[in-house]
Amino acid sequence: MLLLIVLSVILLGVAIFALENAQMITVRFLYWELQSSVAVVTLAATAAGVLIAGLVGVVSRLRRWKRDRAAPMAPRFMPLPSAPRASAGPSFAGGIDGAHGSRSGGPGSTRSVEQAEG
């Protein structure tokens, strides 16, 4: 939404600039020569810039799309390897761990569910 507002303000500024400068000018490029108002030249240059930026954006998106399609699908979440249990006795989620004498499985616990259950 912010991008749309910024672009609208910029385009409004270009339009006001173009309308305020209605003098005739001569544009020369290589072998071409064109006589037109500053308004037409300004609006044409702005439109050309928008088209070029849009084409660059489309090419970038196509390259990214092709790269993502060609890449092998990797799992989004890799399971963490489970560490061997240090305590000898059974532990219940939220209970007291016999080997360590501390609470396990409660809020803020670093033990996994698999470690707490078995």
Side-chain angles (χ1 to χ4, degrees), residues 53-106:
L55 288 175
V56 168
V58 167
V59 168
S60 173
R61 285 185 182 199
L62 283 174
R63 284 183 180 169
R64 190 177 329 126
W65 179 72
K66 284 182 180 180
R67 183 188 67 220
D68 291 346
R69 272 187 75 198
M73 293 300 248
R76 293 185 78 173
F77 299 103
M78 298 288 291
L80 295 174
S82 59
R85 261 188 85 164
S87 68
S91 174
F92 302 102
I96 295 182
D97 189 358
H100 295 56
S102 63
R103 295 195 53 82
S104 63

Side-chain angles (χ1 to χ4, degrees), residues 23-28 32-38 40-41:
Q23 299 90 351
M24 293 299 288
I25 59 169
T26 301
V27 178
R28 292 185 186 101
W32 297 343
E33 186 173 314
L34 172 71
Q35 289 191 350
S36 183
S37 69
V38 176
V40 172
V41 172

